[in-house]
Amino acid sequence: MDLIDLRSDTVTKPTSEMLAAMAAAEVGDDVFGEDPTVKKLEETAARIMGKEACLLVTSGTMGNLVAVLTHTKKGEEVLLESESHIYYYEVGGLSALAGAMPRLVQGQRGRITPQGLADAVRPGNIHFPSPSLLCLENTHNRGGGTVSTPSEMHEVIALARQLGLRIHLDGARIFNAALAAGVRVSALAEGCDSVMFCLSKGLGAPVGSLLAGSREFINSARKWRKMVGGGMRQSGVIAAAGLVALETMTERLAEDHANAKFLAAGLANIPKLTLDADLVQTNIVVVELGQELGGADDFLTRLKAEGVLATNFGPHSVRFVTHKDVNRQGVDYALQVIARMVR
Ligand code: TLP
């Protein structure tokens, strides 16, 4: 039996069109600036994001790290949401490698509000590190795939500017956010000095993320990427799949969102599980398990025995992520298994 793998949209396999493009890719040494496929991907992505330039990096984590390294100096303060991916899931790279001091902002399901930011920024004082960067995340992973609209983002960005901060957007799933908000991705990137987004999540490419910004920012980011080991030589093989992802995979995310809503509505009807299905906006569904069900790890082990995979999102919470490699039938099967298990 095939597993219904709802652990993450990162598990998606490349499409046959991607594999064909990879095999046929024209490549060169990208460290010499000679890989035509990488150049084409970087130019295409910059245009889509409404930025001057773009840089292909191995992963979202590397893209965020290179952004922090490029924007900040050691000891400076980086403001970010308390459950943001950069803070929660990136091995502390912003402190360990960029030497930055995180200062957490309390968000609303991951969204930073102007008031939240104003409360977190301290007035200049000899005792405090100098704040220099604000990181936003859209969609917000631990918030449950929540979307910030352009107007919500612009309010926070305007305040951040007044406070003299630069702005980086972790847009790992920015195409999901744009689709749910009914806007172009460039509208969500507008006002941000840099934006990182992933090709290897819902868009299905095997590897790769992009960091976009001004030409000056990207020139500097390119050197930081080299320093952290991201000079990838014939990376056109990867870029070729990324181009197919941008051309063919963004609109179908609507299917993942519909499947997530279907899953959420079904889970909300199962006793001992708590979630507000109306709050599910994209492809992430987080559910709270009643105490009587035991802990998340135990629940996930029992689920796996029935052929369904999800991830631990806290002692009593579990995350499901919909994506192209699980169809409606698979989601329905997962629901039936969970209903049976919980009963
Ligand atoms: N998120 C992964 C795990 O790391 C949790 C997932 O399965 O959701 N920003 C955001 C908002 C992300 O969700 C992720 C990956 C990243 C950055 C990092 O991307 P990668 O995995 O390419 O380093």
Side-chain angles (χ1 to χ4, degrees), residues 2-9 11 307-310 321-323 325-326:
D2 274 351
L3 289 173
I4 306 296
D5 193 347
L6 296 166
R7 285 174 301 170
S8 183
D9 46 10
V11 304
V308 177
L309 303 180
V321 184
T322 55
H323 55 77
D325 292 343
V326 176

Side-chain angles (χ1 to χ4, degrees), residues 28-60:
D29 190 327
D30 183 54
V31 177
F32 287 110
E34 290 172 2
D35 190 304
T37 312
V38 171
K39 280 190 185 164
K40 187 173 171 202
L41 174 63
E42 291 178 343
E43 282 163 16
T44 306
R47 199 168 51 247
I48 294 173
M49 286 296 147
K51 301 292 178 202
E52 284 175 6
C54 224
L55 181 70
L56 175 64
V57 289
T58 57
S59 66

Side-chain angles (χ1 to χ4, degrees), residues 233 288 332:
R233 309 299 178 182
E288 297 296 322
D332 196 33

Side-chain angles (χ1 to χ4, degrees), residues 98-274:
M101 175 77 178
R103 182 155 173 86
L104 300 181
V105 183
Q106 216 55 53
Q108 292 175 353
R109 286 173 52 85
R111 298 186 200 94
I112 291 180
T113 61
Q115 190 58 52
L117 178 61
D119 290 346
V121 174
R122 296 172 292 182
N125 181 303
I126 193 169
H127 299 88
F128 303 150
S130 306
S132 64
L133 180 67
L134 169 68
C135 296
L136 301 173
E137 186 175 317
N138 198 9
T139 64
H140 195 287
N141 186 341
R142 286 196 62 81
T146 37
V147 178
S148 298
T149 62
S151 65
E152 283 166 343
M153 291 194 62
H154 290 157
E155 277 181 40
V156 182
I157 289 171
L159 176 61
R161 289 275 173 237
Q162 275 174 33
L163 294 166
L165 301 172
R166 283 180 292 279
I167 297 130
H168 170 67
L169 172 61
D170 175 348
R173 297 186 178 84
I174 195 169
F175 285 94
N176 297 84
L179 185 75
V183 299
R184 289 176 194 275
V185 282
S186 55
L188 298 175
E190 198 187 314
C192 299
D193 297 293
S194 57
V195 50
M196 183 287 291
F197 74 94
C198 295
L199 299 166
S200 60
K201 299 202 161 51
L203 303 187
V207 184
S209 293
L210 286 144
L211 181 62
S214 69
R215 201 163 299 285
E216 194 188 349
F217 171 84
I218 292 299
N219 287 342
S220 169
R222 196 174 287 282
K223 289 201 78 162
W224 282 113
R225 182 190 69 170
K226 186 80 181 90
M227 195 189 287
V228 296
M232 292 186 285
R233 309 299 178 182
Q234 286 76 41
S235 34
V237 173
I238 292 169
L243 279 163
V244 175
L246 291 177
E247 280 156 21
T248 66
M249 301 298 283
T250 59
E251 277 162 30
R252 65 148 307 288
L253 294 173
E255 205 180 304
D256 303 342
H257 294 187
N259 280 339
K261 289 197 171 79
F262 174 77
L263 177 64
L267 291 173
N269 276 331
I270 299 177
K272 304 178 204 160
L273 299 183
T274 311

